[in-house]
Amino acid sequence: MAGIGLGLSCRAHDLPPGTSPLTLEGDLSAQMVEGIDRFLQDETERAVLNRAAWWRRDLSSIAAYENSVRPNRERFRRMIGAVDPRLPVAVLEFVSDTRHPARVAETDRLTVFAVRWPVFENVYGEGLWLRPKGRVRARIVAIPDADQTPEMAAGLAAGLPAERQFARRLAEHGCEVLVPVLLDRRDAGSGNAALGKWTNQPHREWIYRQAFELGRHVIGYEVQKVMAAVDFFASLNAASEGEQTSIGVMGYAEGGLIGLYAAALDTRIRAALVSGYFDSRQHVWQEPIYRNLFGLLREFGDAEIAGLIAPRCLVIEHSPAPAVNGPPPARSGRSGAAPGRIETPAFQSVAMELERARARLDAGSTGLCGCFELVAGSQGRPIGPGSEPALLALLNRLGVQIGRLDAPGAAPLDRRAGFDPCPRQERQLREMEGHTQLFLRQSERARKDFFWSKLPPGSTQDWRRACAPFRSMFEEESIGRFPISDAPADVRARRLFDRPKWTGYEVVMDVFPSVFAWGYLLIPKDLEPGQRRPAVVCQHGLEGLPASVIDEDPSSRAFGPYQAFAARLAERGYVVFAPHSPYRGGDRFRVLQRKANPLGKSIFSIIIAQHRRALQWLGTLPCVDAERIGFYGLSYGGKTAMRVPAVVEGYALSICSGDFNEWIAKNVSTDFPASYMFTGEYEIYEWNLGPQLGYAEMAALIAPRPFMVERGHRDGVAIDEWVAYEYAKVRRLYAQLGIGERTAIEYFDGPHQIHGVGTFEFLDRHLRKFRTGPVD
């Protein structure tokens, strides 16, 4: 079979048509991940410059400014998941029992009570209420770090020296103070005792994971708790016939984050003191995953969040952040947590970020830039937390005019003998978990309201047209889309395989700067001149390679799950492309998700761009029928089979193997043993997907193109019942569209692997119609 010139035939033995020689050497999988990493880092830097496009600041007056940033505040509210209506709070509830009184301490200056207050149904804020003896001069929500208890901040427990017990010191100077407890960084409750399954996820990550998929967040929950505390203070002001008492917030470290965000959202907060948390956030991907916010850096650094507080007052205290080097150590029976660290930023970085905030408000004549204040030690050294200059600045901004703080008074003594804060932490954890699991149970109804109720089946043409805005929404808002590059693909190739029935080439093409697509192209040797064959894109799974799907050695590790299905399809006469996807390398690839999320993107933003580029190129090959290119993926490749064809209409059909199930429950459920809640796939979570699209809805976006599920009874990814339940929705849709023959599910008595029986028949039925005609 003689080869002929480039661009004329796919029968060439040397290189595929339209390609130049590939000279790239080494581990292309690792190089792909490294290139994507560089690309995302560059995009992160560009995000700061592009942020202005999200803002329409009107600095002509304070009222005009506040009105102009209202859309940004609303987007920020949704971004942190603070979206659920709160219950009214007119009173606090005392927390006591026959052993522990609600009045837990009293000195000559203050009284301390154990209290809680409602936030949502069955979800409470809980902590301490410090009441000064004498006139209340201000009301403050004081938020300790996640690993500090309210008792530490109030001086009831060891952990902070007297001068750093900021809640106590504020109360001693006439402030009524509510001190909420935050979820901590321990992992004691991160799991399910009934299942006997536990993780080393910090409590904050345990809630983060399940909430993120449902458009909620541990940050949003705790901001809502602070705002519910402000509701209580506001109710006291409303009941007062005299002068209204100013409301403020103070937070340290994780409490500083919560306080900063609460002040940005709640305009009733007159002043905020943020200690141990203020920086540019350009490296938020290195911080604990429970700080991950989808789309944050497109619109917000801490400077922009500070801008939502203006014209109210913000005091930044440059204090030492708690040293967090990662999650609790992995150990037998507990593992899977995401890496992440917290370090004290350099003073210069804090100062520059605050200066950036000032600069954005300095163009008008409103004096807005004067509402920010930075407190630090000599020569910019960290100070505090809760240093005298910082507390004085907060008090003065709240209208409490004093020149210096009095020395701490007599230490309060906790009347709750042997008080253990762990049961309170457990209550807080389980309340948030129960609240989130309730949203999981309600998510199917939400998807019906969001998707199915708006798309009644009609003709296939009408269905495709009606799905278009949902397809765009899925890509833009859940996955994230990078603009398509207009740079040439520069496709390079080299011959790797010469099998009896097909020839194999390694192919690389450019996608974005430093980002390339890579895979193996298998071309059958029995092509007739001018013949165009259907093509199948065969996608490997987690930690796989293009070679995995063509490896025909029964003793190899790859053969078991993949059964050489790409090679077998090439032997059946299909042109096959086996692309590499960057989900390989453990934390090295998972970091890509961490870097992409703050940009409003995901690892699938890159994967979809790679597939668009590959499809474009495949369609130019004279041996490929561009209208008959199918997709077939296993495991993580099955995830790809649900997402890529749902948004890339160039795929003529899709087969999902070893992954189709009740996807939202698979991610969020804390009662299902195979849930991702118990595994190390922390990158798997997709922002706010649960109320919008599950796998049935993704399949609906693929319709009316053919769609198939391949399912082994012994596949531990999910259970048959979940698969059948979710697929029934797909089968019903295709039947209602009058195209029931275009969808199928095949069960086989096997594990997590390619079966390659019913799926091959499905491909033959819907793709295998060879065309002969002039070469374009």
Side-chain angles (χ1 to χ4, degrees), residues 202-222:
H203 292 154
R204 304 187 69 75
E205 181 179 346
W206 179 252
I207 297 301
Y208 159 84
R209 287 196 186 197
Q210 54 193 283
F212 192 86
E213 190 87 5
L214 298 169
R216 273 76 176 179
H217 204 291
V218 62
I219 290 173
Y221 288 160
E222 292 184 333

Side-chain angles (χ1 to χ4, degrees), residues 13-24:
H13 277 287
D14 295 327
L15 293 177
T19 64
S20 59
L22 173 63
T23 60
L24 196 62

Side-chain angles (χ1 to χ4, degrees), residues 16-60:
T19 64
S20 59
L22 173 63
T23 60
L24 196 62
E25 299 291 344
D27 185 343
L28 269 61
S29 173
Q31 291 176 43
M32 177 185 287
V33 170
E34 291 165 4
I36 296 170
D37 187 272
R38 289 195 301 274
F39 173 74
L40 292 174
Q41 191 60 49
D42 291 343
E43 289 294 306
T44 299
E45 297 303 318
R46 277 193 284 271
V48 180
L49 304 177
N50 296 335
R51 215 168 272 164
W54 292 86
W55 295 81
R56 297 290 184 270
R57 298 180 184 89
D58 184 346
L59 300 174
S60 60

